[in-house]
Amino acid sequence: MNLKQLSRMLELSQTTVSRALNGYPEVAEETRRRVVDAARRHGYRPNPSARRLATGKAGMIGYVMPTGASVDIDPHFVEFLSGLGDYARTHELDLTLSPSTIEDEEMTYRRIVANKQVDAVYVSSPRPRDARIALLNDLGIPFIVHGRSEGLDFDYPFLDIDNEAAFHEAARLLIQLGHRRIALINGNADQTFAIHRERGLRRALAAGGVELPPHRVRAMPMTEENGYRAASDFLAARERPTAIVCSSLLMTLGVTRALRDAGLSVPGDVSLIAHDDVFPFLKPENFPVPLATTRSSIRAAGQRIAERLAARIAGVEDGARGEVWAVDLVVRASVAQVKG
Amino acid sequence: MNLKQLSRMLELSQTTVSRALNGYPEVAEETRRRVVDAARRHGYRPNPSARRLATGKAGMIGYVMPTGASVDIDPHFVEFLSGLGDYARTHELDLTLSPSTIEDEEMTYRRIVANKQVDAVYVSSPRPRDARIALLNDLGIPFIVHGRSEGLDFDYPFLDIDNEAAFHEAARLLIQLGHRRIALINGNADQTFAIHRERGLRRALAAGGVELPPHRVRAMPMTEENGYRAASDFLAARERPTAIVCSSLLMTLGVTRALRDAGLSVPGDVSLIAHDDVFPFLKPENFPVPLATTRSSIRAAGQRIAERLAARIAGVEDGARGEVWAVDLVVRASVAQVKG
């Protein structure tokens, strides 16, 4: 079935059908749904060349994917992709991953924009003064940042979770429970989410008159092994922490291993709180001692980013709207009052 | 003329030529003009429309990605993507993920092939008599299967690891160590890799005169939680197994939790062997007791699949070559002789 046949069947103009399928705002929602249903039923999907001719759109969301022997993609990316794909599918969008070394990132963005390969892109793992955001802003392609940068002199659209408030609340709870020696195991220090988490934790500690000396902070890729190393260092110190806040569940597996090796118990000797992106393959309630978490679904974030990108492609959303999601603090058995 | 030839002719680096063609400000105007002129004169134009006109190629590898509320993408997919992207990058290929429900998979393949969106596709998680493989064979697009099907009446190109031999060797070692009550925790029973692993295990057991009763086999999605449930069931049985073979490291986390809950030790009470796809975020040597594994890098498989797809797109590889990689059996402290 082609566009002409589909349009005739629906008794709509070809323009209306095209616009409905591409999510243009001027088509009524009821009409859009009728068109999309009929298109699906009859296996009609505009081919990219026809779509590009009719609408100027490629039907693609782009992502420049870091690759290289030394690059490990965080496993939570699968959950983000699940959410993004789930929404994109219902809006006839595919996703193009353009692999690139870190050094060639800028060139790769320029290429996919210049080639009109994609209608919009998203940026992940932003850093302060992130050059990718300035570049995309200049290039004028619709984009959204997953996370936030800092220190840029312009606004840009983003979706972030409130990492600062999340770790502030986690640390505040620990202080209320009497903890004074609190340690942080964080993700890479050059990423904004990690900076925000440390900032929130420090703010709560400062408010409680508690210090965070450098030897109680670690920042590194979020693997089980790194969690083990960081915790082992902390536990070998003269005054070991009575509580550890950790940026990932996989890292926290390593923390619990270090505690076991040291013959220490949770929460009797050390309280634990970790950030949970909601990962069906490893659940905090299934840790040896159920793990207290700051929780926000990264799959939901993927869905929302696809939704906003589709809206920006269709011209329904514009401007530099920042969206910040509150994070739940879920208390479980891994936190307790500090021992007298 | 390709980028390399053009660069050599101009006595400039490939980076400079690319930057000149993509309008980078830091390239001197005189150089830019010289590059653009030469490119035009020699018909070098890297954008996809031009590429498609010149070569009929889109420069894209396609993958139909299962999505939906009930679909969880296995986290090892990030490692596969890393490998695939790493090779694709050096061969000017991008990757298009087309999200689809399981029900619409066939339609999605038909669409991306009909639209010439992609030059080749790969298929993952194949099942016996997999309809996707028959479809792609009919459609005539270059493809490779990651894994294998069974029961198809034609040959097709694939890359698989020798799952049957891997679990055969694991079980044979356990039998040599005197184990007679051996249990299996496997991935989804409808996938060929899981069928092959069970087959290998059964073959070794049969050769040793050992039975594998139904209550010592579980097959399900490979999460920590499912590993815990399966192992808990085994350990509650009147005659509990003295050894467990498990299809994933994340599941094995759940197995070790169940053993801890039951007050049992590894390998004193139960020996463990698990399959390891080589996952930098969770390493078998870092389990409470270092874990024996059947090991094969899924990142290397991603690289190899990109390499073969590029060769098939270029017409350098054709035919239905199947490639099967041997799997290492890596013995660590989690296996021991059965208690007298």
Side-chain angles (χ1 to χ4, degrees), chain A residues 133-156:
Chain A
I133 302 173
L135 174 67
L136 290 169
N137 207 44
D138 286 349
L139 292 175
I141 188 170
F143 72 96
I144 292 187
V145 178
H146 180 212
R148 250 177 294 182
S149 183
E150 285 197 333
L152 295 174
D153 58 2
F154 57 91
D155 293 328
Y156 53 87

Side-chain angles (χ1 to χ4, degrees), chain A residues 40 43 45-49 52 60 65 67-75 77-79 81-82 85-86 88-89 93-101 103 106-108 110-112 114-115 117 222-225 250 253 257 260 279-283 285-288 299, chain B residues 15 18-19 22-25 46-49 52 60 65 67-75 77-79 81-82 85-86 88-89 93-101 104 107 111-112 115 117 222-225 250 253 257 260 279-283 285-288 299:
Chain A
R40 188 168 299 139
R45 192 153 177 196
N47 77 57
S49 323
R52 202 171 294 182
M60 290 279 175
M65 179 173 75
T67 56
S70 67
V71 176
D72 294 328
I73 303 176
D74 190 278
F77 185 54
V78 298
E79 280 298 298
L81 272 184
S82 278
D86 206 26
R89 171 175 55 77
L93 289 163
D94 287 343
L95 175 67
T96 294
L97 306 182
S98 297
S100 171
T101 58
E103 302 77 52
E106 183 180 335
M107 203 166 78
T108 307
R110 287 185 185 274
R111 167 172 67 82
I112 63 176
N115 290 348
Q117 252 174 273
M222 300 190 285
T223 67
E224 191 272 352
E225 190 160 274
L250 280 161
L253 281 177
R257 178 162 65 99
R260 216 161 36 230
F279 190 51
F281 294 86
L282 178 64
K283 296 180 176 176
E285 59 268 37
N286 292 337
F287 270 60
R299 189 187 283 215
Chain B
T15 305
S18 263
R19 289 181 171 228
N22 287 294
Y24 273 56
N47 80 63
S49 321
R52 202 172 296 185
M60 290 279 175
M65 179 173 75
T67 58
S70 66
V71 176
D72 295 328
I73 302 176
D74 190 277
F77 185 54
V78 297
E79 279 299 297
L81 272 184
S82 277
D86 206 26
R89 171 173 56 77
L93 289 164
D94 287 343
L95 175 67
T96 294
L97 306 182
S98 297
S100 171
T101 58
D104 285 344
M107 204 167 77
R111 167 173 68 79
I112 63 176
N115 290 348
Q117 254 175 268
M222 300 189 285
T223 68
E224 191 273 352
E225 191 159 276
L250 280 161
L253 282 177
R257 179 162 63 100
R260 218 162 33 230
F279 190 50
F281 295 87
L282 179 64
K283 296 179 177 176
E285 58 267 39
N286 292 338
F287 270 59
R299 189 186 281 215

Side-chain angles (χ1 to χ4, degrees), chain B residues 17-280:
Chain B
V17 171
S18 263
R19 289 181 171 228
L21 291 172
N22 287 294
Y24 273 56
E26 59 265 61
V27 180
E29 179 57 23
E30 190 197 322
T31 307
R32 197 192 65 80
R33 196 162 307 153
R34 195 159 67 89
V35 171
V36 168
D37 283 353
R40 189 170 299 138
R41 230 172 24 248
H42 296 277
Y44 176 76
R45 288 178 62 190
N47 80 63
S49 321
R51 162 139 64 168
R52 202 172 296 185
L53 276 175
T55 66
K57 301 288 193 292
M60 290 279 175
I61 291 171
Y63 174 63
V64 173
M65 179 173 75
T67 58
S70 66
V71 176
D72 295 328
I73 302 176
D74 190 277
H76 293 103
F77 185 54
V78 297
E79 279 299 297
F80 182 83
L81 272 184
S82 277
L84 191 86
D86 206 26
Y87 187 92
R89 171 173 56 77
T90 60
H91 283 67
E92 316 231 319
L93 289 164
D94 287 343
L95 175 67
T96 294
L97 306 182
S98 297
S100 171
T101 58
I102 304 291
E103 302 78 51
D104 285 344
E105 258 182 346
E106 182 179 335
M107 204 167 77
T108 306
Y109 278 109
R110 286 186 185 277
R111 167 173 68 79
I112 63 176
V113 172
N115 290 348
K116 302 193 198 314
Q117 254 175 268
V118 298
D119 304 318
V121 301
Y122 79 90
V123 171
S124 72
S125 306
R127 299 172 291 270
R129 286 171 300 284
D130 200 304
R132 299 171 298 175
I133 301 172
L135 174 67
L136 290 169
N137 207 45
D138 287 349
L139 292 175
I141 188 171
F143 72 95
I144 291 186
V145 178
H146 180 212
R148 251 177 295 182
S149 183
E150 284 197 334
L152 294 174
D153 58 1
F154 57 91
D155 293 327
Y156 52 87
F158 67 83
L159 170 66
D160 198 3
I161 61 172
D162 197 341
N163 283 299
E164 183 172 339
F167 272 37
H168 178 272
E169 290 306 291
R172 199 166 69 102
L173 174 66
L174 292 169
I175 287 168
Q176 285 171 342
L177 292 168
H179 293 272
R180 290 293 174 273
R181 297 199 301 272
I182 296 169
L184 171 65
I185 305 179
N186 211 344
N188 275 324
D190 66 341
Q191 306 217 334
T192 318
F193 82 87
I195 294 167
H196 286 186
R197 289 181 189 174
E198 179 169 340
R199 191 178 293 158
L201 187 111
R202 279 190 186 281
R203 194 154 53 76
L205 265 56
V210 172
E211 280 197 23
L212 181 66
H215 68 267
R216 284 210 194 105
V217 180
R218 292 288 183 283
M220 45 189 135
M222 300 189 285
T223 68
E224 191 273 352
E225 191 159 276
N226 283 338
Y228 178 81
R229 285 186 187 153
S232 298
D233 284 356
F234 292 155
L235 300 178
R238 204 172 43 84
E239 288 203 309
R240 61 172 167 75
T242 62
I244 299 176
V245 182
C246 185
S247 267
S248 106
L249 288 197
L250 280 161
M251 275 186 136
T252 307
L253 282 177
V255 174
T256 60
R257 179 162 63 100
L259 288 165
R260 218 162 33 230
D261 281 7
L264 297 171
S265 71
V266 177
D269 298 304
V270 178
S271 286
L272 289 182
I273 304 179
H275 184 72
D276 174 24
D277 292 299
V278 186
F279 190 50

